[in-house]
Amino acid sequence: MKLTNNVIRIVDNSINYSYDIHEDTRKVIDFVKNIVKIPDKVVQTFSTEAGQ
């Protein structure tokens, strides 16, 4: 039962996931910046704060 409940919970969370495009984009950029050195020009282009 526990395994079945976990699978149902994972599927339910995947189906009902709501997202904020700005927040999710910021998270991706922050994650990548910690792994790879990205030129500042690229960060500025994809920054969620650009133009605000």
Side-chain angles (χ1 to χ4, degrees):
M1 281 300 258
K2 185 175 181 177
L3 177 65
T4 304
N5 287 338
N6 285 337
V7 170
I8 291 171
R9 182 183 50 78
I10 291 169
V11 170
D12 184 56
N13 287 341
S14 298
I15 292 171
N16 294 312
Y17 177 75
S18 63
Y19 61 92
D20 177 353
I21 191 73
H22 295 291
E23 179 67 19
D24 290 347
T25 301
R26 186 190 58 75
K27 287 179 185 178
V28 170
I29 290 172
D30 290 344
F31 176 77
V32 172
K33 282 186 346 188
N34 290 328
I35 295 176
V36 180
K37 175 60 181 154
I38 300 174
D40 290 337
K41 231 177 193 178
V42 173
V43 174
Q44 289 173 353
T45 300
F46 291 101
S47 173
T48 57
E49 297 173 6
Q52 290 184 1

